[in-house]
Amino acid sequence: MISVDRISKRYGSGENSVVALDDVSLSVSPGEIYGVVGQSGAGKSTLIRTINSLERPDSGTVTVDGQNISQLQGARLRAARHNIGMIFQHFNLLSSRTVQANVELSLEITGVERSTRRARVAEILELVGLQGKADAYPAQLSGGQKQRVGIARALASNPSVLLSDEATSALDPETTRQILDLIRNLSKELGLTVLLITHEMDVVKRVCDSAAVMSQGRILEQGTVESLLTTEKSLLGQALFPLGEIPDTGNRVIEITFNGVTADRPVIARLARTHGIDVGILGAAVETIHGHQTGRTRLELPGTADATGRAIADLRSQGLFVEVIK
Ligand code: ADP
């Protein structure tokens, strides 16, 4: 598990200094996939480098599997880092080495003997779907295959934690889906704890159990994806269901979030019938989140405050998440 407790990091000093991390805390449970999203410059890379101990925080602590990474030095730090695998946007493979040689690099460094290395590489290549590719060079592989090599290399030393730095940002949408599914399956199979940083909401939709939204070095919101979808004014909720500008019609505007349980109920027809309201649909989006159909519908409710208030109370009494937008 990963526990980040109140870390801050500033680059430079004086007037030109930049606060890259400002009192950031988060916790990733064992086996969980946790996504950190945010625009460029939000502090995501600094966060991941701090967890990997490539960077030391100015204050606060990072604990990985019970070890305070921010305080370790020398051999103990190197040992702790073997428990953390990392994958990158541009794969970072050595072009002069074969797939086999790339994957066994970390094992070589830790002095694992040749026959054990060979066996481990064969096993891990099969796990990532690259059997038969051991002797290929990176230039002979597609982007998706290169990232599979990156994942195999990251997992060769059996880490319990995988960090992903925009690992799918250089891939096309279909390959992105395949790589994300692979990460999810590996996480399940190996009990891997995964922290990934991304600027793509599709990544959060497809694999993340929990997510945090970062901006200017701070975490603005965090929680399980499901809970964030049913949190008032959630930035993640809005980003996952972009419904566009809200037209100014003078009427009450609400958004209803549907999940697997409520998705097939005739909610809108019933609302119009029961409350005599001429409901207008202003926008709708449906997404598969965590394998479940989830949707958000923006409705316009003409009528008196009393009538629309009763309608909203009725919707909420049916267990629907209703946000009053206007
Ligand atoms: P993100 O990964 O979300 O794009 P970063 O963590 O790379 O964000 O950057 C956060 C802020 O810290 C940015 O303003 C960036 O310019 C600054 N920064 C990051 N690394 C360094 C560094 N090594 N030296 C100086 N400033 C840095």
Side-chain angles (χ1 to χ4, degrees), residues 271 275 277 301 304-317:
L271 183 69
H275 297 275
I277 292 177
L301 306 182
T304 63
D306 268 3
T308 56
R310 275 195 301 277
I312 292 167
D314 183 13
L315 291 167
R316 287 184 172 146
S317 75

Side-chain angles (χ1 to χ4, degrees), residues 226-292:
E226 261 127 354
S227 71
L228 290 175
L229 289 178
T230 51
T231 298
E232 294 264 340
K233 308 214 180 322
S234 159
L235 298 166
L236 191 80
Q238 285 162 13
L240 287 174
F241 296 106
L243 295 177
E245 290 290 305
I246 304 160
D248 193 8
T249 61
N251 291 321
R252 175 134 284 179
V253 176
I254 63 168
E255 286 180 8
I256 308 177
T257 302
F258 298 85
N259 59 28
V261 186
T262 49
D264 53 359
R265 289 198 217 144
V267 171
I268 297 169
R270 193 179 154 224
L271 183 69
R273 206 170 51 236
T274 312
H275 297 275
I277 292 177
D278 290 332
V279 180
I281 299 179
L282 300 179
V286 178
E287 296 289 349
T288 304
I289 294 175
H290 257 209
H292 297 297

Side-chain angles (χ1 to χ4, degrees), residues 149-195:
V149 178
I151 294 171
R153 180 186 53 191
L155 300 184
S157 58
N158 259 322
S160 69
V161 167
L162 178 68
L163 304 178
S164 163
D165 184 353
E166 299 276 5
T168 54
S169 300
L171 304 174
D172 62 71
E174 180 52 32
T175 311
T176 292
R177 281 193 281 278
Q178 290 168 2
I179 293 294
L180 292 174
D181 289 350
L182 175 65
I183 291 174
R184 174 156 280 291
N185 291 338
L186 289 170
S187 156
K188 270 207 196 111
E189 232 167 278
L190 309 174
L192 265 183
T193 304
V194 182
L195 184 131

Side-chain angles (χ1 to χ4, degrees), residues 11-12 18-20 38-47 49 55 197:
Y11 290 109
V18 176
V19 178
Q39 301 294 320
S40 178
K44 306 180 301 293
S45 311
T46 307
L47 173 66
R49 287 203 307 272
E55 202 86 70
I197 63 175

Side-chain angles (χ1 to χ4, degrees), residues 41-59:
K44 306 180 301 293
S45 311
T46 307
L47 173 66
I48 214 165
R49 287 203 307 272
T50 311
I51 295 171
N52 203 11
S53 202
L54 291 169
E55 202 86 70
R56 297 235 163 193
D58 298 332
S59 58

Side-chain angles (χ1 to χ4, degrees), residues 58-113:
D58 298 332
S59 58
T61 53
V62 177
T63 312
V64 177
D65 272 353
Q67 278 199 301
N68 184 341
I69 287 273
S70 4
Q71 275 179 357
L72 295 177
Q73 309 268 5
R76 291 187 61 207
L77 176 59
R78 282 195 294 280
R81 288 186 65 193
H82 276 293
N83 189 34
I84 303 174
M86 180 130 172
I87 52 176
F88 307 88
Q89 179 175 2
H90 297 294
F91 325 122
N92 297 12
L93 302 179
L94 297 172
S95 57
S96 60
R97 283 185 153 226
T98 62
V99 167
Q100 166 85 34
N102 266 286
V103 176
E104 66 184 351
L105 196 60
S106 69
L107 302 176
E108 238 173 86
I109 293 167
T110 49
V112 175
E113 71 160 47

